[in-house]
Amino acid sequence: MQNDGKKMKRRDFLSMAGSVTALSAFPLIPKSAIASTHREEAPKDAKIHRLGIYPTIGICRVGGSDQYFLAPEVPGLPPMPEGGFKDGTQAIKKQAQRFRIYAFDDQDRVIGEITEHNATIEWNVHLANTKAAWYGFNNPLDNGELAPGIPGQKRNQYFVSDEERERMLVINGGERSISGINQNGDTENDTYQFVGQFWNEETVKLGKIKTDEHGRLIVIPPDGVSNSPTNAAITSFADNDGWHDDWCDGPVQATVKLPDGTFMEADTAWVACIGPNFAPEIPPVTTLYDVISNMNAEQGWTPPVQAPISFRKHIYPIFRRLGLMEWVSSAANLRQGWLGVGNFSDPAYIKQLADPSPANQAFRQDIFTKFRNPNNVSDTAYLDERLKMPMMLGDGINYDGSPLQWFQFPHQQYQFLEYWAAGNFTNDFEDDKADAIHTIEDVDLKLQPDALTEAALEPCSGGAFHPGVELTYYLRIPSMYARNYDNAADPFRLAHRKRDKLVQNIGRLLTLEKAEKGDPALGTSPPLAHQWAGDLTRWMGLPWQCDAFSCQQVLMQEDFPTAVWWPALLPIDVLPEENYTQLMDESLDDSERVKFYENRADWKRGVAGIGYHANASYWDGITNMITLWERMGFVVKRKGPKGAGTGGLSAVPKEMYVEVGRGNVEDRFKWNPSMGDLPN
């Protein structure tokens, strides 16, 4: 059942606010902000030279509900499913990814979208989960001497031959094709479902496909289920033998028959089915789009962003993301005290941040010094850069004293901040044309293809790859991309090639050299190169819940601030709905209402054992989360009380982000339909 509701929901919001211009009075509003592109729009008589599928990398998110909503399609605007992110029970709605095809002329100018109304399209998707047949995770392999990569052994290595590992450990959903308008409307046709086997005995579903009213492809992810057919114990945050989950990925392809009878193959895209985003309106401070964009610029595959840069596109998102982190991390919520910066949620403060005048330079430079400098890799960087923004951990957590113990900005993103501090930017924060963009159809045609890719990757975390909450460090490695082998390929398009087997054996240990070059003795191609089904998600934790919920915050020698991992995807400290209800109760004294507002709670509260890897009951905690993950709440925006910001409620903002939809985490509690709907 589709439950998109995106357009209606946003219209309701706009009408409630009065107008788009009126929204600028509210703090930290989401603003569409689309990266500039080298593309141009083709003349009307242009002939089709090539076709491409977009987004080039699409993101699905698992959930136990049969309902789903569509992934974001406009950069800067979050998903807004009608009725929220749960379905009225404890089940989380799935995030489905829609794919479109665009035509280009021989100068790579955009001709327009290809649909079933102007062509015949046959889509082909291959999904697989190969985690159990891959290698264990110890550390990213690409950080050099700052945090040397640690070789990994094979998971489930008691299965020795490639044939046995393929049969017992690979969940191959196979290839599925679909064509036409509104196909598989009830999403129950077995022809369009991906199903494989684990341990040669357990059936595992990996999702399904359908088409919309224009013949565009929609990939619907699986349920997020993990299991061990042997009842194996959980012994690792990342590598557990005898276990499977249902994360999966693979190529998305299409053959198009044009009206003149010509057949063309569209450039291959990719889809990855990963975990939920529990704070979907709060983007990570650095996104996967930022990471890949940085790599493209360093490779010369895209032109460098020249100053003056755009405040709306390059700077405001950074401060907005940092401001929103206050709702998912106490370290960020108390940042004004421990770091000496202002309130990023204050419109007046945002206005000052947007001022490029020389008179404002001292203010900008002072704020700039509070950001962690990724160029500082000195022996004292670990200490020099600790108390900087964002207060998050990084790739090199295995190495005490490494600058990579702390979160690092991509160099391009940090350069944007340098430009900003120097005043080399344009104050284009207020832009009526950009504010009027609500759907991808509102975007200029020449920007639409790349905007779809940006919107898909923008909600994904672009740091703390250990291994990560969604996908990981390999997406910053040039050899993973088609552009590395073809100068005409899209910069964000992964390289694709089939192999004889989904299993990829590069010897007993996974090292950086073998990851980059393969194993000539075994005749194995390098894994950090051309990809096939299951190749992206195999590097992630197995099962996925263990790594996702084990890495929340890390208690170190310093009492405060506490470094966190991925608060924008998996919150740490939240304002519970119960506290919000008391805050909104006008019968209470204002001082009491403020107490409820200021009292944040542990998002994972009630689940025994969740904590850092060394804590007692740690294994109990992450084992419990394998079954309890859907009980966790989502952090979403809510209106503040009447009189917020004045009098006794002067400390309370006019809008806030509240944890809602939290279920009962007691194992003995069992919901059944006779109880009615649970709160959403």
Side-chain angles (χ1 to χ4, degrees):
M1 172 181 178
Q2 183 177 357
N3 212 338
D4 182 11
K6 190 177 298 185
K7 194 168 186 178
M8 180 190 71
K9 193 80 172 183
R10 196 171 301 283
R11 283 177 176 170
D12 290 346
F13 179 56
L14 291 173
S15 64
M16 176 185 68
S19 69
V20 175
T21 304
L23 286 177
S24 61
F26 290 90
L28 297 177
I29 61 172
K31 282 180 171 282
S32 66
I34 300 164
S36 60
T37 177
H38 66 284
R39 300 195 197 280
E40 299 177 356
E41 190 170 336
K44 291 185 178 181
D45 60 348
K47 293 183 178 180
I48 296 176
H49 178 70
R50 76 169 182 93
L51 302 173
I53 302 172
Y54 297 87
T56 56
I57 303 174
I59 301 295
C60 294
R61 296 185 183 274
V62 299
S65 174
D66 290 333
Q67 297 182 28
Y68 72 88
F69 60 93
L70 293 177
E73 293 187 323
V74 177
L77 301 183
M80 299 181 72
E82 185 177 1
F85 291 89
K86 291 192 176 183
D87 65 1
T89 70
Q90 309 223 43
I92 294 173
K93 296 176 185 176
K94 297 172 170 64
Q95 175 178 293
Q97 180 67 64
R98 177 162 57 187
F99 289 90
R100 303 170 185 241
I101 299 173
Y102 284 83
F104 303 83
D105 68 6
D106 58 0
Q107 297 182 49
D108 207 36
R109 296 177 295 189
V110 183
I111 296 174
E113 186 183 358
I114 299 296
T115 70
E116 282 284 343
H117 301 301
N118 54 24
T120 301
I121 305 170
E122 181 177 81
W123 296 94
N124 184 274
V125 182
H126 187 180
L127 295 179
N129 174 308
T130 61
K131 283 186 176 184
W134 191 232
Y135 293 79
F137 176 84
N138 291 305
N139 212 46
L141 298 176
D142 67 333
N143 282 321
E145 284 302 309
L146 294 177
I150 303 173
Q153 299 182 35
K154 291 178 181 179
R155 293 166 174 163
N156 297 292
Q157 58 184 283
Y158 36 78
F159 295 118
V160 177
S161 71
D162 290 351
E163 291 74 19
E164 191 177 28
R165 293 178 69 79
E166 184 101 9
R167 178 173 58 89
M168 297 294 290
L169 303 176
V170 169
I171 307 169
N172 186 1
E175 296 186 28
R176 297 288 182 267
S177 297
I178 194 168
S179 183
I181 291 172
N182 291 327
Q183 295 297 302
N184 197 27
D186 60 5
T187 64
E188 294 301 327
N189 190 326
D190 290 344
T191 303
Y192 305 121
Q193 299 204 38
F194 300 87
V195 181
Q197 297 286 321
F198 182 71
W199 221 256
N200 202 32
E201 65 180 47
E202 183 169 331
T203 298
V204 181
K205 296 180 179 180
L206 296 182
K208 58 194 77 170
I209 53 176
K210 63 177 292 187
T211 60
D212 71 5
E213 66 274 16
H214 301 286
R216 301 169 183 135
L217 176 72
I218 297 176
V219 180
I220 303 171
D223 294 340
V225 173
S226 302
N227 189 47
S228 170
T230 64
N231 295 315
I234 293 294
T235 59
S236 167
F237 78 98
D239 309 304
N240 289 284
D241 289 350
W243 279 85
H244 77 79
D245 60 26
D246 58 5
W247 282 24
C248 55
D249 68 275
V252 175
Q253 299 175 297
T255 301
V256 178
K257 182 181 179 181
L258 300 173
D260 63 2
T262 303
F263 285 87
M264 295 187 71
E265 300 290 331
D267 294 339
T268 300
W270 215 267
V271 65
C273 300
I274 57 175
N277 180 352
F278 288 95
E281 299 176 51
I282 300 178
V285 64
T286 293
T287 72
L288 266 185
Y289 180 82
D290 295 326
V291 169
I292 302 174
S293 180
N294 178 79
M295 182 271 300
N296 283 326
E298 290 181 343
Q299 293 298 308
W301 295 346
T302 56
V305 178
Q306 301 288 346
I309 60 173
S310 161
F311 180 81
R312 182 188 183 108
K313 174 60 192 171
H314 301 113
I315 300 301
Y316 173 66
I318 297 175
F319 286 111
R320 177 175 183 267
R321 295 165 189 172
L322 287 169
L324 291 175
M325 279 183 65
E326 298 171 6
W327 300 100
V328 289
S329 166
S330 287
N333 185 38
L334 302 175
R335 179 172 49 220
Q336 293 183 61
W338 63 262
L339 194 56
V341 296
N343 181 8
F344 296 142
S345 301
D346 182 356
Y349 201 67
I350 292 292
K351 183 177 181 180
Q352 188 174 6
L353 293 171
D355 177 6
S357 68
N360 195 44
Q361 185 163 351
F363 167 78
R364 295 193 307 270
Q365 288 287 352
D366 178 65
I367 300 298
F368 177 65
T369 62
K370 310 298 175 63
F371 285 93
R372 189 170 298 111
N373 182 0
N375 301 305
N376 182 2
V377 293
S378 68
D379 291 340
T380 61
Y382 167 76
L383 297 175
D384 300 339
E385 304 293 337
R386 176 182 175 268
L387 291 179
K388 298 288 185 72
M389 295 184 289
M391 193 58 191
M392 293 172 59
L393 294 156
D395 296 357
I397 193 67
N398 291 45
Y399 292 94
D400 290 341
S402 167
L404 300 189
Q405 274 210 295
W406 308 118
F407 179 93
Q408 302 287 327
F409 284 106
H411 289 93
Q412 179 177 246
Q413 194 177 23
Y414 189 74
Q415 185 179 56
F416 293 160
L417 290 168
E418 288 182 304
Y419 286 150
W420 167 78
N424 290 331
F425 69 96
T426 301
N427 182 3
D428 54 356
F429 182 69
E430 297 296 345
D431 185 334
D432 290 343
K433 181 180 178 181
D435 283 339
I437 294 174
H438 312 310
T439 70
I440 190 63
E441 286 78 14
D442 298 330
V443 176
D444 288 345
L445 175 62
K446 66 181 181 181
L447 299 176
Q448 287 181 18
D450 297 326
L452 289 168
T453 297
E454 185 177 2
L457 295 172
E458 189 178 56
C460 299
S461 179
F465 291 137
H466 201 267
V469 65
E470 294 147 324
L471 300 174
T472 193
Y473 68 92
Y474 47 65
L475 288 174
R476 63 192 179 200
I477 296 178
S479 56
M480 293 281 288
Y481 294 88
R483 189 61 172 270
N484 194 61
Y485 313 95
D486 178 3
N487 289 334
D490 284 315
F492 284 81
R493 200 172 295 281
L494 291 169
H496 167 243
R497 182 182 297 160
K498 290 186 176 182
R499 300 188 297 269
D500 292 337
K501 296 183 178 65
L502 290 172
V503 163
Q504 196 171 19
N505 181 7
I506 55 172
R508 290 186 172 87
L509 284 179
L510 172 65
T511 63
L512 178 60
E513 181 179 10
K514 289 188 175 183
E516 293 179 332
K517 299 179 181 179
D519 190 322
L522 295 171
T524 309
S525 60
L528 295 179
H530 295 82
Q531 301 294 289
W532 198 19
D535 283 1
L536 290 189
T537 49
R538 63 184 175 178
W539 300 76
M540 309 311 296
L542 176 63
W544 69 270
Q545 296 96 335
C546 294
D547 184 42
F549 293 103
S550 67
C551 293
Q552 286 274 285
Q553 57 188 343
V554 176
L555 304 178
M556 305 178 84
Q557 289 182 345
E558 297 83 0
D559 290 335
F560 188 83
T562 302
V564 297
W565 282 100
W566 311 294
L569 286 300
L570 295 165
I572 313 298
D573 309 289
V574 297
L575 178 63
E577 191 167 18
E578 294 84 353
N579 290 28
Y580 174 73
T581 300
Q582 298 299 319
L583 167 65
M584 300 297 286
D585 186 350
E586 296 181 12
S587 68
L588 294 178
D589 184 80
D590 284 352
S591 63
E592 291 301 309
R593 297 167 73 187
V594 170
K595 288 180 182 179
F596 281 104
Y597 163 71
E598 293 177 339
N599 188 9
R600 305 297 167 88
D602 184 358
W603 177 72
K604 63 188 183 303
R605 62 195 181 279
V607 180
I610 291 293
Y612 185 44
H613 300 174
N615 287 359
S617 300
Y618 165 72
W619 303 120
D620 291 337
I622 59 176
T623 301
N624 288 336
M625 273 299 192
I626 293 173
T627 56
L628 296 178
W629 61 278
E630 285 201 280
R631 315 280 180 90
M632 298 296 104
F634 281 75
V635 176
V636 300
K637 185 161 62 176
R638 290 288 185 263
K639 285 184 178 181
K642 294 179 181 178
T646 62
L649 298 177
S650 60
V652 178
K654 295 180 180 179
E655 65 180 20
M656 56 199 64
Y657 289 78
V658 181
E659 176 208 47
V660 302
R662 178 178 165 83
N664 193 311
V665 298
E666 291 287 343
D667 280 333
R668 61 180 177 269
F669 176 85
K670 300 296 181 183
W671 176 86
N672 65 72
S674 66
M675 296 179 179
D677 287 352
L678 290 171
N680 198 23

